[in-house]
C-alpha cells in the first residue's frame, strides 16, 4: 500500500504542476464574435458574395441611427441638432460616409449646370412646412430615412469594410460619445458593429454566470448523493481541472471564445461529473462487499474505466459529428468539446484513484445496501418492468407515433437577431426599425447580361424597372438604391425637377440624353456601388423587414416564377446575395447537414455496441432507447412550433452523444453479470439496482446543468438548455424502463444473448 501512496502523490504533484501552468496560460483567453465566421468558406454563394463586395462594396458595414422627436421632426431646432450631429459623426475615425435627411437632395439641371435641391431647407425656416408636404407627396424618403408618422428620422453611417473587433469597438465608443453630447428624446441604433460588441459583452457575462450556476448545481447533487465534504470537493476539483486544461489548450492554439464556446464549461462540468459519479458509486458498492479499500479502487478502475472510456468516446463522437458542418464555429465547438470530454476522462482516472488511495475509507461505505434509499427505488423499478412489460412497450410505441406526427410539423426557419430576447435593447432597436421604417435587413440583388452586353439600353432599363416593381410588391420595399433610381433622378433633373417626373425615360430620345449623363457619372465613380465597370451587371439594394428565412425563400421563388419569361427573353441572370441571404441559406444547409452527422453518430455507436456484444441484434436493441428520446424531442419541437435552425439542429447530436452513455453503462454491467453465468432476469435485476442509482444521479446532474441554460438571453443557448434537458429526461426513462423490458422479452421468447 505504501508504494501505491507514493505513486498517488507523484501523480497528484504532476497534475498540480500541469494545472498551475494551465491556469497561467488560460489568462490569455479572448472573446470574439464575427457573423462571417458562420458562413462556409467553400460555399459558392459565399465566394460570389466576396466577389460582389469587391465590385460594389460591403452591404453590411453600416450603422442606422434613428432620432426620435415625438412632437414631429419638422422642427428647426431639432433638425439643426440632427445636422450638427451628422457633422460630428463624419469626423469619427473609420466612418467613411454619413447620410442625413438634412443634407439629402435631388438633382436639377439648370442653365448653370447640375445642382442639388435639398428636401429640407434649414436656412429658410419658413419653408419647412412646404418641405414636409413635398416629402410626403413624393414618398421617396418615407420609410427609408423618415418615418411615416413623421416622429423620427434616420442618420446612416457607412464604416470602413473589414474592421477588426478592436477597431469596431472603438467606432461604437466614439459614436456613443458623440450621441451623449446631444439631448434628443430618444435614439435607436442598429448595425453590425453594435450587434457584435453587444454579443461579445453578453457572452462574457453568461460564461461566468452559467459556470457559477453549474458549480452550484453540482455541489447540491454531490451533497445529496455522498453527504460528505470529500464527496463534494473531490469531484468538483476534478471537473474544474478538466475545464482549466481545455481553456489552456484553446488559448495555446490561438482559439478565442465565441457564442458557442461559452457552453463548453457548463457541458464539461456536467459531462465530466458523470465519469466521477460512476466511479465513486462503483467504489462505494465494492467497499460494501469487500472491506479492502485498494481492491475496491482496482475493481472500480477496471470495470468503470472500460465503460467510461466507451461513454467518453461516444460522447466525443457525438460532438465530432459537428465536423460535418461547413461552419467554423460549429466545427470548433464540436472539436473542443470532444477534446474536453476526453480530457475529463483522463483527469478523472489519473486524479480520482490517487485521491482515494490517500483518503481514509468513507464511513458511508459501511451502510448496508438494503438500507439505502436508491436500492429500494431501483428494486421497485425492476419489479414494475417485470409485471408491466407489455404496457411499457405499448406506451413507448404510442409515444413514438405521436412524436413522428409532431416531427412532420417542424419547419426549417430563422430570423436575424433571433438569438436575442425580445426585451434585449439591441433587439428592441431592431424591432423599432422593423415597425417604423422599411426594415433593417440588407436586401441585395444582382442582375447581369449573359452575353456581356452593356445594360445601358432603354429596353434593359425598362426590364430593371419591371424587376423593381415586382420586388417592391413582393417584399414591401419602400425604396431602392439602384441604376433605375439614378436614371429616374436624372430624368427628373432634366425635366425641371417636378416630383411627377421621377420615372424612367419614355422614349429613345429621352434615353439618349440621360445615357450620356449616366456614363459621365459612371466615369467619375459616382455609380460604382450600383454599376459594374463592365456595365453588363448592376446591383439593386434595399432595406426590408425580416420575414424569416422560410418566407424569404418562398418570396424568391415567387419573383423568379413571375419574371422567368422576362429574364429568358432578355438573356439576363438574377442572383440574390448579401449577408442576410447567406444567413438564411446557411441555416437551411446546416440543418440538413447536421442531421447526416446524427446518422454518422448512430452508425459509430452501433459499431461500439456491436463490439461489446458481437451481435447485430444487440446493436438494434441498445439503439432503440436512444433513438426514441430524439424522436420525442423532435415531436416536442413540432408541437411547440420550434423551428429547425443552427441552434436547434445541433441539439440532436449533442443529446445523443451524452444520452447513450447511460445505455453503455447499463449494457456493460449487464454483460458483466451475464459473464458470471447468471440468468438474464437476475442479471437485469442486479444491473438495475447497482447501475440505476448512478444513471439517475448523473442524469439529474446533466439535466440540471443543461436546464440552467434556459435563463440565457441567447435563444440558441436557451433552446440547447431546454431541448437537451428534455432529451436527457426521456433518455433516462427509456434506459430504466424500455431497455430492461426489451431485454426481458428475450427470456419470454426463450432466447439468450
Amino acid at each position: 500500500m505504501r508504494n501505491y501512496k507514493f505513486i498517488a502523490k507523484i501523480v497528484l504533484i504532476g497534475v498540480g504542476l500541469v494545472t498551475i501552468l494551465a491556469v497561467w496560460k488560460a489568462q490569455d483567453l479572448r472573446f470574439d464574435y464575427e457573423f462571417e465566421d458562420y458562413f462556409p468558406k467553400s460555399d459558392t454563394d459565399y465566394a460570389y458574395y466576396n466577389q460582389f463586395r469587391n465590385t460594389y462594396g460591403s452591404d453590411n458595414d453600416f450603422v442606422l441611427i434613428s432620432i426620435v422627436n415625438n412632437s414631429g421632426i419638422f422642427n428647426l431646432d431639432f433638425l439643426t441638432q440632427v445636422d450638427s450631429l451628422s457633422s460630428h459623426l463624419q469626423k469619427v475615425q473609420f466612418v467613411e460616409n454619413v447620410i442625413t435627411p438634412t443634407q439629402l437632395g435631388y438633382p436639377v439641371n439648370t442653365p448653370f449646370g447640375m445642382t442639388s435641391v435639398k428636401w429640407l431647407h434649414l436656412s429658410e425656416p419658413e419653408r419647412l412646412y412646404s418641405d414636409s408636404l413635398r416629402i410626403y407627396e413624393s414618398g421617396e424618403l418615407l420609410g427609408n430615412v423618415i418615418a411615416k408618422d413623421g416622429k423620427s428620422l434616420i442618420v446612416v453611417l457607412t464604416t470602413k469594410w473589414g474592421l477588426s473587433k478592436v477597431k469596431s469597438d472603438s467606432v461604437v465608443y466614439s459614436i456613443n460619445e458623440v450621441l451623449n453630447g446631444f439631448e434628443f428624446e430618444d435614439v435607436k441604433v442598429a448595425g453590425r458593429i453594435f450587434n457584435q460588441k453587444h454579443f461579445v459583452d453578453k457572452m462574457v457575462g453568461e460564461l461566468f454566470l452559467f459556470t457559477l450556476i453549474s458549480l452550484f448545481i453540482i455541489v447540491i447533487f454531490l451533497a445529496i448523493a455522498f453527504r460528505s465534504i470529500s464527496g463534494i470537493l473531490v469531484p468538483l476539483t476534478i471537473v474544474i481541472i478538466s475545464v482549466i486544461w481545455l481553456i489552456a489548450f484553446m488559448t495555446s492554439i490561438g482559439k478565442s471564445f465565441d457564442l458557442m464556446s461559452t457552453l463548453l464549461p457548463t457541458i464539461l462540468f456536467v459531462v465530466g461529473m458523470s465519469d466521477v459519479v460512476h466511479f465513486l458509486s462503483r467504489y462505494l458498492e465494492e467497499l460494501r462487499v469487500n472491506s479492502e479499500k485498494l481492491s475496491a479502487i482496482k475493481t472500480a478502475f477496471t470495470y468503470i474505466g472500460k465503460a467510461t472510456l466507451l461513454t467518453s468516446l461516444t460522447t466525443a463522437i457525438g460532438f465530432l459529428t459537428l465536423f460535418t458542418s461547413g461552419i467554423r464555429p460549429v466545427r470548433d465547438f464540436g472539436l473542443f468539446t470532444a477534446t474536453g470530454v476526453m480530457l475529463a476522462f483522463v483527469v478523472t482516472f489519473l486524479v480520482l484513484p490517487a485521491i482515494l488511495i490517500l483518503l481514509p475509507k468513507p464511513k458511508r461505505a459501511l451502510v448496508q445496501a438494503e438500507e439505502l434509499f436508491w436500492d429500494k427505488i431501483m428494486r421497485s423499478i425492476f419489479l414494475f418492468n417485470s409485471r408491466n412489460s407489455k404496457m411499457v412497450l405499448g406506451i413507448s410505441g404510442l409515444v413514438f407515433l405521436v412524436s413522428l406526427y409532431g416531427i412532420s410539423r417542424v419547419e426549417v426557419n430563422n430570423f436575424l437577431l433571433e438569438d436575442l430576447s425580445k426585451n434585449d435593447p439591441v433587439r428592441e432597436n431592431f424591432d423599432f426599425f422593423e415597425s417604423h421604417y422599411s426594415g433593417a435587413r440588407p436586401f441585395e440583388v444582382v442582375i447581369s447580361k449573359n452575353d456581356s452586353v452593356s445594360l445601358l439600353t432603354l429596353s434593359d432599363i425598362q426590364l430593371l424597372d419591371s424587376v423593381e416593381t415586382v420586388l417592391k410588391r413582393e417584399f414591401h420595399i419602400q425604396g431602392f438604391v439602384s441604376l433605375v433610381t439614378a436614371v429616374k433622378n436624372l430624368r427628373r433633373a432634366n425635366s425641371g425637377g417636378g416630383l411627377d417626373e421621377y420615372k424612367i425615360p419614355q422614349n429613345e430620345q429621352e434615353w439618349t440624353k440621360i445615357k450620356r449623363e449616366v456614363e459621365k457619372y459612371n466615369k467619375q465613380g459616382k455609380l460604382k456601388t450600383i454599376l459594374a465597370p463592365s456595365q453588363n451587371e448592376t446591383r439593386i439594394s434595399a432595406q426590408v423587414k425580416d420575414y424569416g428565412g422560410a418566407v424569404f425563400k418562398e418570396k424568391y421563388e415567387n419573383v423568379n416564377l413571375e419574371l422567368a419569361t422576362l429574364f429568358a427573353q432578355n438573356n439576363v441572370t438574377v442572383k440574390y446575395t448579401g449577408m442576410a441571404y447567406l444567413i438564411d441559406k446557411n441555416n437551411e444547409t446546416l440543418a440538413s447537414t447536421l442531421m447526416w452527422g446524427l446518422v454518422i453518430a448512430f452508425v459509430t455507436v452501433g459499431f461500439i455496441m456491436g463490439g461489446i456484444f458481437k451481435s447485430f441484434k444487440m446493436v438494434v436493441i441498445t439503439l432503440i432507447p436512444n433513438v426514441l428520446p430524439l424522436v420525442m424531442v423532435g415531436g416536442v419541437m413540432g408541437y411547440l412550433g420550434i423551428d429547425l435552425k443552427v441552434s436547434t439542429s445541433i441539439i440532436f447530436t449533442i443529446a445523443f452523444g451524452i444520452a447513450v452513455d447511460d445505455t453503455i453503462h447499463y449494457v456493460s454491467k449487464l454483460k458483466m453479470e451475464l459473464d458470471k453465468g447468471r440468468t438474464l432476469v437476475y442479471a437485469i435485476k442486479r444491473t438495475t439496482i447497482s447501475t440505476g442509482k448512478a444513471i439517475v444521479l448523473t442524469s439529474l446532474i446533466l439535466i440540471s446543468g443543461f436546464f440552467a441554460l434556459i435563463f440565457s438571453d441567447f435563444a440558441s443557448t436557451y433552446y440547447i438548455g431546454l431541448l437537451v434537458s428534455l432529451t436527457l429526461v426521456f433518455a433516462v426513462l427509456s434506459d430504466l424502463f424500455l431497455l430492461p423490458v426489451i431485454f426481458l422479452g428475450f427470456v419470454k421468447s426463450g432466447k439468450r444473448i
Side-chain angles (χ1 to χ4, degrees), residues 282 285-286 303-304 307 613 663-676 678 683-684 686-692:
R282 184 56 188 268
E285 181 184 345
E286 289 297 321
Y303 291 104
I304 296 300
F613 278 105
T663 304
I664 291 176
H665 279 291
Y666 191 98
V667 171
S668 297
K669 175 64 175 175
L670 178 62
K671 186 175 185 301
M672 189 190 310
E673 296 293 336
L674 291 172
D675 289 343
K676 294 177 182 178
R678 289 166 177 166
I684 290 175
R686 289 302 313 153
T687 301
T688 301
I689 293 173
S690 63
T691 308

Side-chain angles (χ1 to χ4, degrees), residues 407-414 550 637-638 642-645 648:
I407 290 175
S408 68
R409 301 174 57 176
V410 175
E411 295 182 357
V412 178
N413 198 14
N414 66 287
M637 289 175 61
I642 300 174
D643 297 325
L644 189 64
K645 61 194 75 178
T648 54

Side-chain angles (χ1 to χ4, degrees), residues 447-449 455 457-471 484 504 538 540 563-574:
I447 298 180
S448 56
K449 295 283 283 189
L455 282 165
T457 65
L458 180 58
S459 61
D460 286 327
I461 297 300
Q462 292 170 339
L463 165 67
L464 294 174
D465 189 46
S466 299
V467 172
E468 289 191 8
T469 300
V470 175
L471 292 175
V484 170
I504 62 173
T538 187
I540 299 176
L563 297 175
T565 303
L566 191 61
F567 293 153
Q569 290 175 347
N570 290 272
N571 197 25
V572 300
T573 298
V574 176

Side-chain angles (χ1 to χ4, degrees), residues 601-662:
F602 282 155
V603 173
T604 306
V605 172
F607 274 111
I608 293 175
M609 293 299 187
I612 295 175
F613 278 105
K614 297 180 174 58
S615 167
F616 176 76
K617 188 181 298 181
M618 295 310 301
V619 171
V620 175
I621 290 174
T622 52
L623 281 180
I624 288 174
N626 290 290
V627 173
L628 179 60
L630 301 182
V631 174
M632 290 171 68
V633 82
V636 169
M637 289 175 61
Y639 289 117
L640 295 182
I642 300 174
D643 297 325
L644 189 64
K645 61 194 75 178
V646 174
S647 56
T648 54
S649 59
I650 67 173
I651 287 166
F652 295 97
T653 52
I654 293 174
F656 177 74
I658 295 174
V660 77
D661 293 357
D662 288 339

Side-chain angles (χ1 to χ4, degrees), residues 305-415:
K306 292 178 181 178
T308 305
L309 175 61
L310 286 175
T311 59
S312 298
L313 286 173
T314 53
T315 302
I317 288 167
F319 285 106
L320 285 176
T321 56
L322 297 179
F323 246 76
T324 56
S325 167
I327 299 175
R328 185 179 64 79
V330 176
R331 293 200 311 270
D332 287 350
F333 174 71
L335 173 62
F336 290 117
T337 310
T339 302
V341 168
M342 297 312 298
L343 278 176
F345 169 79
V346 171
V347 172
T348 298
F349 284 85
L350 273 177
V351 175
L352 188 53
I355 292 177
L356 294 179
I357 287 173
L358 298 176
L359 288 176
K361 182 190 299 184
K363 294 181 180 180
R364 278 194 49 81
L366 302 178
V367 180
Q368 293 299 313
E370 288 75 17
E371 298 175 1
L372 294 177
F373 169 78
W374 284 106
D375 284 20
K376 295 177 181 179
I377 294 294
M378 293 304 117
R379 288 176 189 276
S380 299
I381 290 176
F382 170 75
L383 291 175
F384 178 85
N385 290 335
S386 301
R387 297 166 182 170
N388 302 280
S389 57
K390 290 183 179 179
M391 183 176 73
V392 171
L393 290 173
I395 292 175
S396 299
L398 179 62
V399 169
F400 180 78
L401 294 176
V402 172
S403 299
L404 283 181
Y405 176 73
I407 290 175
S408 68
R409 301 174 57 176
V410 175
E411 295 182 357
V412 178
N413 198 14
N414 66 287
F415 294 86

Side-chain angles (χ1 to χ4, degrees), residues 84-96:
S84 177
L85 170 69
S86 303
S87 299
H88 283 80
L89 291 173
Q90 188 68 68
K91 299 173 184 177
V92 172
Q93 189 178 18
F94 305 121
V95 170
E96 294 190 331

